[in-house]
Amino acid sequence: MTTAFSSTVDTPIGPFTAVVAGDGAVLASGWTDSLDDLLPQVSPTLRPTTVTARRDLGDVTRAVRDYHGGDLAAIDDIPVRQRSGEFREQAWAALRTVPAGKPVSYADYALLTGRPSAVRAAASACARNAATLFVPCHRVVRTGGAIGNFRWGVDVKRWLLAHEDRS
């Protein structure tokens, strides 16, 4: 991969930037306006050599705006491209099956991956998820419902969970 495109959208919880491949697949995203926060999370085999800023990324920008505006399903069909080992890729795919408003515990998430004893590995997959929001790692909480950690901050995770619970 050589060229990708980025765009930053203002949201109720701060700027949200997405980096997409030429075919529109999200490579990285999160609540930041800095590519330096996003690009290190992209697999070296997918990391672009050039990122060109655009005002709008089409379907991706629309999905970000619509999701934050209350259409929680807007992110569901956006393509994502992440690369890692077999377990992590399977774990990221499993995250996309967790419905909005129905957070799961790390133990339940491990079960969704098909490896119920791999709770720490599942948590690690969450931590290394580059395509935040589109691969909704914020929907995984600690047993008992405690928020847990989140790359973009506990306040952002709390807002996302409340946003999905209200809708």
Side-chain angles (χ1 to χ4, degrees):
M1 162 123 3
T2 57
T3 302
F5 304 95
S6 70
S7 183
T8 301
V9 175
D10 288 328
T11 75
I13 47 178
F16 183 92
T17 300
V19 177
V20 301
D23 64 359
V26 174
L27 301 174
S29 56
W31 288 268
T32 181
D33 58 6
S34 172
L35 292 177
D36 291 339
D37 292 336
L38 296 173
L39 293 177
Q41 301 301 317
V42 177
S43 167
T45 62
L46 295 174
R47 194 172 298 142
T49 53
T50 304
V51 179
T52 302
R54 288 193 171 165
R55 187 177 57 80
D56 189 283
L57 298 173
D59 289 343
V60 172
T61 299
R62 191 170 21 269
V64 171
R65 287 190 176 123
D66 290 351
Y67 170 87
H68 286 87
D71 179 3
L72 304 180
I75 60 172
D76 293 349
D77 294 325
I78 298 296
V80 171
R81 186 169 301 122
Q82 297 192 86
R83 193 167 291 148
S84 188
E86 181 181 340
F87 177 78
R88 265 196 205 135
E89 289 183 13
Q90 184 177 349
W92 292 328
L95 276 173
R96 294 198 87 180
T97 70
V98 177
K102 307 266 188 232
V104 298
S105 70
Y106 285 99
D108 290 337
Y109 173 42
L111 189 62
L112 286 174
T113 70
R115 293 185 45 198
S117 64
V119 176
R120 284 188 180 176
S124 177
C126 278
R128 287 177 171 66
N129 172 28
T132 310
L133 183 62
F134 303 100
V135 178
C137 55
H138 64 274
R139 295 179 184 160
V140 183
V141 297
R142 291 184 175 158
T143 300
I147 294 289
N149 295 326
F150 190 56
R151 175 180 300 127
W152 308 108
V154 173
D155 289 341
V156 170
K157 185 172 183 174
R158 188 174 287 119
W159 187 93
L160 292 166
L161 292 170
H163 178 61
E164 292 182 353
D165 190 48
R166 301 190 275 275
S167 296

